[in-house]
Amino acid sequence: MGRSPCCEKAHTNKGAWTKEEDQRLIDYIRAHGEGCWRSLPKSAGLLRCGKSCRLRWINYLRPDLKRGNFTEEEDELIIKLHSLLGNKWSLIAGRLPGRTDNEIKNYWNTHIKRKLIGRGVDPQTHRPLKEIAANAVASHLDFRNSSPPSLPVAGISLVNQINNNNTTTTHNCATLKPKTESVEDANCTSSGTTTEEEPPQLPQRQKQQRQEARDQSVLNLELSVGLGPFQAESSRLSPGNTAESKLQQVPFQLFNGTVQSAMVAQAVCLCCHLGFQSNELCRNCQNSNGFFRYCRPLDS
DNA sequence: AATGCTGACAACCGCCAGATT
DNA sequence: CAATCTGGCGGTTGTCAGCAT
C-alpha cells in the first residue's frame, strides 16, 4: 500500500541537532505549545521533519525530563514493569516520571539486559535461564493447548488452570482475571519476533494478537504501578521481596495422573509483588468492588 | 600516536491506529 | 466506506567518546 513520506526529504536536515535548531524548537513550543508536528517545522523555521521535531522535543528538550543515571530503584521498577508489560516502552515510561520511552529502551538494551543475564534471568521472558533450558527438554508436558507459564505473573494463570483442573494447591485467590496469558502475547508480539511457530492465516492471527495486546494494555493501565505514589514505600524494597524471589515450586497433576511441580510466581497482590507493600493485603490492589486484583497465598 | 573495538545513546525508519475528509 | 493524514510506537542504525592494544 505505502504512503507518502511525512515530509520532503530533499529539503530536510538529518542527523544531530544543532543548538540553534534546539533553541528554535524550544522557542516555538514555548510560544505555541505542542501539537501539529507536521506544520511545526515550517512555522518554526526549521528544515526538519515534523517527526524529527517531535522526537527531539519529547526525548531531549522537554523541560520535565530527568537527566542523569538511573537509580537502583528505577532499575528494579523497569525490570518489574517489563516483566508485566513486555517491550511496551511507552507504558513503562509512563510509570517513570521524567524518563522517556527511548531512554528506557536504550537503557534496557545496554544495561539491564546484561544485568539480568548476570543474574541468570532471561531478559525477554524473565524466567531463569536454567529453567528455559530445562523446559526445552520437558516440553512434552501436557497443558491442553494453554500457554505454559513464561512470566512471573503469567504463573498466576497456571495457578488458575490448576484450580480449574481440580488439583490441589495451597492458594486461595479472591479474583483473578482469567486472561493473564495475554501478557505473554503482548510480550512476544511486541518484540516483533516470536519463538513459537506462526500459525496460518497470519493477518487474522496478528489482528487477534494486537487486540489481545490492546486489551492487556487496558488491563495493565488499571494496575497501580508507579514510582510516584509509592516512592516512600519503595525504600522498603528488600532482596527477599523481588519478583524473582516470589518464584516457588507449585505441585500439579498431569492428565496421566502423575504429579509434577513447576516454578511459578506466588500469587501476591501486585503491590506486594512489586515490593511496594509489605505482607498485608493492600488497598492499592483492591478494585471498586472490594476484590483484590491479585491475591497471595494464605499460608505466607 | 594510530588504530580498532565497544558501549552508550541520539536519531531515523517503517509500521500502525485513530481521526478526518 | 474508502482514502488520506497525523501522531505515536518499537526496532534498528549511526555516531561518537572512551578504552585497549
Side-chain angles (χ1 to χ4, degrees), chain A residues 126-145:
Chain A
H126 295 264
R127 294 162 70 190
L129 289 168
K130 273 189 224 166
E131 192 193 327
I132 290 166
N135 276 354
V137 177
S139 58
H140 64 279
L141 285 179
D142 182 4
F143 285 94
R144 278 195 188 158
N145 299 325

Side-chain angles (χ1 to χ4, degrees), chain A residues 21-34:
Chain A
E21 285 177 313
D22 280 349
Q23 200 52 54
R24 273 178 188 264
L25 183 56
I26 291 168
D27 290 345
Y28 183 87
I29 291 176
R30 272 188 188 150
H32 301 94
E34 289 181 47

